[in-house]
Amino acid sequence: MKKTAFFFFFFLSFCSLCAEDGYRLWLRYDKISDNALLQQYSSQLSSLLPAASTPTLQTAQQELQSGLQGLLGKQIPLQPALANGSIILGTPATSSLIASVVPARQLAAAGAEGFVLQTAVSSGKNVTVITGNKEAGVLYGVFYFLRLLQTHQSIRPLAFTSAPKIGLRLLNHWDNLNRSVERGYAGISIWDWHKLPDYLDRRYTDYARANASIGINGTVLTNVNANALTLTKDYLVKAAALAHVFRPYGIKVYLTARFSAPIEIGKLKTADPLDPAVQQWWKQKADEIYSYIPDFGGLLVKANSEGQPGPQNYGRTHADGANMLADAITPHGGVVIWRAFVYSNETPDDRFKQAYNEFKPLDGKFRKGVLVQVKNGPIDFQPREPFHPLFGAMPATPLMMEYQLTQEYLGFATHLVYEAPLFTEVLQADTYAKGKRSEVASAIDGTLEGHSLTGMAGVANIGNDRNWCGHPFAQANWYALGRLAWDHDLSAAQIAEEWIRQTFANQPAFVGPVKAMMLSSRETMVNYMTPLGLHHIMGYGHHYGPAPWYNQAPRADWNPVYFHKADSLGLGFDRTAAGSNALAQYKDEVARLYGNLQTCPEAFLLWFHHVPWNYKMKSGRTLWEELCYKYYTGADSVKQMRQTWNGMKGLIDEERFAQVNMLLGIQEKEAIWWRNACVLYFQTFSRMPLPAGYEKPDQSLEYYQSLRFPYAPGIGGNL
Ligand code: BDP
């Protein structure tokens, strides 16, 4: 062999280990390196029956062809004649063959959006059928099928039906029209509003592919702190261009509505929801939106919250506002998603209680077609929160879950934090709304109260960084949101495993340690940031780094000191009857569990109790010692993560290996920063020494308090 040829082959065989910028996410489709498996798959898949020529089925066919080409290293030809190894794609309506080989009950179980994967013998040939009642289901089936190959699972025999448990599976982008992203840490917005509608970036298609591959079926393009211009013709035309790209992928576009839009862009004097001119304005606006985007998903609204206008400006309720919009939107088939994230400066009550106080009395007052979107916890996307007391408390109203994928409170895009354990912890929490086993999941998927309108949203962590999410591992949080919205019975471990196998590698030597690292990463972060139920003690405004001492915010409940209440006696927010009594918002069983110092899980202790510094914890340590123990354990665990990662060298591409390595370096530094700053600060109240054996912080408290970050990312600015 000539030298150049040798180098070429050398390069080819190693190229999967070099350039890998993360752009392909979990849809890498690299050739399967296990030869036996490759041969097995190749013999089972020979050709593809041409699918009907609708946009979605053609999209499914293309995805399957390019996926198989990559994975098998050869083209699977389109061939109308049935052969051994044929793959058949379509719905029972587009293919009579499908109707004859797939049992009707399996199709029925797939519902409107699900899919069936079925191996069968047809005219004496072994075939694989990928089908669903609707075309989007076929596409979901294709992605699932490709996932089986990417994760090296068996594809014969198959008799598998899957249907989503939740109807609206959405991303919420907090993207502004000037392309800044509120709380975005992965570059600027991927929506290039300036070049839309004429220039369609390839990214829009790849975004749609990625979402469809995990079952996400809607995207709210714009920030909840909304700009009224979003609803002007210029921007509707741009949104329509995106909707056009997303449509074949089963993804609908939604927009955020600024409540005062009738004044700002409609030249009305008021935005009062009971004013007939305002109602008429919204109806016309809805007609206009649907004239550009016939399958528009609906409007998401943040009203009377953190300075946003809303119905209360006119003495009306949230229900009045939502219903007015519903009257305009629902006749076209859309929904109104009204956020319950409200708390008021004027209300002196515990911020924990305010959403419940406002919304619970409105149960039953919302029109059909309105969903109330509730954050997973009562404060604000903290590393750990108890479940929001509204779940299970508004039986007559469909409640939608809102998670935050972007790591505003979880170390930005520099910390490796796998969020699925946070998501599942909340879903599995028991609300006791209808006795035992009334988990949050059942309140969200509609089974608890018999709602058919259901939803789950994640605040997107996507930007124009080459790898989409900034941190290679942050992609897993996007992935997990989609998978859990589809099936909340999946475990965080299952989701991590399939994500790792697709995104990085299938070797057990990689999958095992990396999965373990991901699964413990959230607890690790809780330990070094907010252990034992501490919350909201981050830097003011930008939310970067620790600032438990901060007390200068213009409103009390933006100050960390409001939340931790450290004093010479102890630490934590008393939310029992002796304190703010927020616990009364939960069902008795939950209130009793959390309300009793003995039974309250220690992970939630300081959420609900002001605990004496020398209180004996289950470990036998005092509260002060336990706090130190958690902070030090957390920071040490990041060191271990780095060691684990170092052991992965050579098992994956150099590029992502090095990126993660550097990011873990930042995370380790910042974990130590959190630990030192918090321990030194709380020590000024406990007045107790650092327990023996702990390394002393290398800086003073004053040093940590003096740090300033005027250019911390993610502040946005909605122009
Ligand atoms: C907070 C964010 C703020 C958002 C707000 C919201 O700091 O930027 O606008 O949530 O959800 O956590 O509306």
Side-chain angles (χ1 to χ4, degrees):
M1 198 191 284
K2 276 209 181 121
K3 236 185 181 169
T4 43
F6 172 78
F7 278 122
F8 180 67
F9 283 113
F10 182 81
F11 174 75
L12 268 190
S13 54
F14 280 90
C15 80
S16 63
L17 288 182
C18 38
E20 182 72 74
D21 57 17
Y23 181 84
R24 293 184 296 164
L25 296 159
W26 47 87
L27 301 174
R28 290 164 67 245
Y29 304 147
D30 281 343
K31 188 170 171 189
I32 291 163
S33 51
D34 175 337
N35 273 330
L37 194 63
L38 186 64
Q39 267 171 23
Q40 192 186 319
Y41 286 151
S42 296
S43 67
Q44 290 165 344
L45 306 170
S46 64
S47 59
L48 190 56
L49 240 66
S53 58
T54 67
T56 297
L57 290 181
Q58 286 302 306
T59 299
Q61 178 170 296
Q62 267 163 30
E63 190 71 31
L64 187 59
Q65 275 192 298
S66 69
L68 291 177
Q69 162 126 33
L71 287 159
L72 306 182
K74 63 168 192 193
Q75 217 194 342
I76 301 290
L78 283 177
Q79 191 179 291
L82 217 54
N84 262 329
S86 287
I87 311 171
I88 305 157
L89 281 190
T91 65
T94 63
S95 158
S96 54
L97 208 151
I98 289 182
S100 70
V101 294
V102 180
R105 78 191 136 70
Q106 254 175 268
L107 278 165
E113 280 192 293
F115 60 86
V116 180
L117 302 182
Q118 176 84 41
T119 46
V121 178
S122 180
S123 312
K125 313 285 185 202
N126 290 316
V127 299
T128 302
V129 178
I130 305 179
T131 186
N133 294 307
K134 296 246 170 76
E135 296 183 358
V138 181
L139 182 65
Y140 295 142
V142 162
F143 279 115
Y144 191 93
F145 184 69
L146 288 169
R147 183 182 305 139
L148 290 178
L149 275 80
Q150 279 211 91
T151 55
H152 297 186
Q153 311 298 305
S154 157
I155 54 163
R156 180 164 288 275
L158 285 176
F160 180 72
T161 306
S162 180
K165 293 198 166 75
I166 287 172
L168 307 181
R169 304 177 298 278
L170 309 188
L171 287 183
N172 288 182
H173 286 263
W174 286 358
D175 293 17
N176 297 316
L177 301 182
N178 66 0
R179 294 190 80 181
S180 64
V181 180
E182 180 148 346
R183 313 308 178 180
Y185 311 103
I188 58 173
S189 170
I190 54 173
W191 318 133
D192 191 343
W193 293 107
H194 180 67
K195 294 202 203 107
L196 282 165
D198 302 312
Y199 185 87
L200 297 173
D201 197 308
R202 168 72 212 183
R203 244 183 208 252
Y204 303 151
T205 307
D206 287 330
Y207 168 85
R209 289 176 57 234
N211 279 323
S213 78
I214 49 175
I216 287 175
N217 63 1
T219 175
V220 184
L221 300 176
T222 47
N223 192 354
V224 286
N225 295 322
N227 184 329
L229 291 180
T230 306
L231 299 180
T232 56
K233 179 182 171 203
D234 285 356
Y235 283 95
L236 291 177
V237 169
K238 292 167 192 280
L242 290 173
H244 181 75
V245 176
F246 302 159
R247 193 165 291 119
Y249 292 89
I251 295 167
K252 286 186 180 178
V253 154
Y254 298 65
L255 292 169
T256 46
R258 184 159 164 90
F259 202 77
S260 52
I263 303 172
E264 289 163 35
I265 59 170
K267 301 201 172 77
L268 299 189
K269 292 256 166 344
T270 175
D272 181 350
L274 299 194
D275 184 310
V278 174
Q279 294 170 349
Q280 189 53 27
W281 187 86
W282 280 108
K283 283 196 174 131
Q284 275 167 5
K285 186 48 75 182
D287 293 345
E288 188 190 354
I289 297 173
Y290 280 90
S291 74
Y292 295 117
I293 313 172
D295 55 354
F296 181 66
L299 295 173
L300 169 64
V301 187
K302 172 177 177 179
N304 293 120
S305 166
E306 299 185 331
Q308 293 300 311
Q312 292 176 343
N313 298 26
Y314 308 95
R316 315 298 184 195
T317 67
H318 285 286
D320 293 329
N323 292 344
M324 173 200 54
L325 292 179
D327 288 345
I329 291 286
T330 55
H332 297 277
V335 296
V336 171
I337 304 173
W338 195 269
R339 292 177 89 228
F341 177 66
V342 298
Y343 60 100
S344 156
N345 202 17
E346 281 80 50
T347 314
D349 210 351
D350 179 1
R351 180 170 151 189
F352 184 117
K353 294 163 65 179
Q354 294 188 33
Y356 180 101
N357 287 346
E358 289 229 18
F359 277 84
K360 166 87 181 153
L362 298 177
D363 190 30
K365 304 228 160 75
F366 291 98
R367 291 246 215 294
K368 224 167 153 240
V370 176
L371 293 120
V372 171
Q373 183 165 296
V374 183
K375 288 189 181 181
N376 57 274
I379 298 295
D380 201 354
F381 296 139
Q382 294 300 294
R384 168 167 281 126
E385 298 206 19
F387 70 87
H388 200 298
L390 276 174
F391 292 122
M394 292 183 67
T397 312
L399 297 188
M400 187 164 161
M401 173 69 83
E402 179 175 326
Y403 289 124
Q404 191 180 44
L405 310 181
T406 189
Q407 292 172 230
E408 175 179 1
Y409 304 99
L410 310 184
F412 293 6
T414 34
H415 292 211
L416 191 165
V417 182
Y418 174 52
E419 295 169 352
L422 185 162
F423 303 159
T424 51
E425 182 177 291
V426 176
L427 288 168
Q428 287 159 12
D430 201 340
T431 68
Y432 285 87
K434 290 193 166 172
K436 222 172 152 35
R437 303 298 320 263
S438 307
E439 286 93 352
V440 170
S442 67
I444 293 306
D445 71 14
T447 53
L448 187 67
E449 308 291 354
H451 292 299
S452 52
L453 189 55
T454 56
M456 183 185 285
V459 178
N461 57 356
I462 296 164
N464 78 336
D465 273 9
R466 184 66 193 157
N467 70 4
W468 302 85
C469 301
H471 197 305
F473 277 80
Q475 297 175 355
N477 297 330
W478 177 6
Y479 185 85
L481 187 273
R483 297 291 288 130
L484 281 172
W486 185 277
D487 183 1
H488 56 64
D489 283 335
L490 290 171
S491 69
Q494 276 168 287
I495 297 171
E497 169 139 1
E498 59 181 54
W499 177 80
I500 296 168
R501 285 171 171 269
Q502 295 168 92
T503 308
F504 285 109
N506 274 288
Q507 298 110 289
F510 184 83
V511 177
V514 172
K515 182 165 86 173
M517 175 175 83
M518 284 172 74
L519 287 173
S520 56
S521 62
R522 187 277 189 128
E523 204 59 41
T524 290
M525 187 212 47
V526 168
N527 286 341
Y528 67 70
M529 280 190 181
T530 52
L532 302 174
L534 284 172
H535 49 283
H536 212 287
I537 57 172
M538 66 289 159
Y540 174 67
H542 50 61
H543 298 166
Y544 177 55
W549 48 81
Y550 196 81
N551 63 1
Q552 301 296 310
R555 43 188 297 168
D557 55 10
W558 282 351
N559 280 321
V561 296
Y562 171 93
F563 293 98
H564 64 65
K565 304 227 184 293
D567 58 20
S568 61
L569 303 177
L571 180 63
F573 199 131
D574 184 356
R575 294 190 164 104
T576 66
S580 80
N581 206 17
L583 277 165
Q585 296 184 337
Y586 289 112
K587 287 281 174 197
D588 286 351
E589 290 86 340
V590 181
R592 268 201 305 274
L593 177 79
Y594 289 146
N596 178 339
L597 202 53
Q598 306 308 315
T599 58
C600 181
E602 289 186 350
F604 292 108
L605 199 62
L606 305 177
W607 269 100
F608 297 113
H609 300 275
H610 192 68
V611 183
W613 290 112
N614 55 10
Y615 175 77
K616 268 265 174 335
M617 304 289 287
K618 295 202 176 78
S619 62
R621 290 184 275 265
T622 64
L623 171 67
W624 165 247
E625 289 163 348
E626 187 77 4
L627 191 73
C628 296
Y629 171 77
K630 290 282 183 190
Y631 272 116
Y632 276 81
T633 310
D636 286 349
S637 308
V638 182
K639 278 194 192 128
Q640 282 153 26
M641 287 165 79
R642 285 190 83 181
Q643 274 165 20
T644 303
W645 189 250
N646 268 319
M648 300 300 108
K649 193 166 172 56
L651 296 181
I652 60 157
D653 52 284
E654 274 299 330
E655 198 172 349
R656 289 182 301 169
F657 175 80
Q659 281 175 351
V660 174
N661 205 23
M662 288 186 282
L663 289 164
L664 283 170
I666 299 177
Q667 185 171 359
E668 185 182 338
K669 265 197 217 158
E670 294 191 354
I672 293 172
W673 169 30
W674 269 92
R675 178 195 78 188
N676 289 354
C678 292
V679 165
L680 286 172
Y681 171 71
F682 290 124
Q683 192 176 32
T684 64
F685 297 95
S686 79
R687 302 188 172 281
M688 293 173 174
L690 203 60
Y694 291 136
E695 174 192 341
K696 266 180 80 119
D698 55 356
Q699 300 283 355
S700 66
L701 177 59
E702 292 67 38
Y703 165 79
Y704 293 115
Q705 289 175 325
S706 74
L707 299 175
R708 296 285 178 274
F709 306 98
Y711 302 111
I715 301 196
N718 195 7
L719 296 181

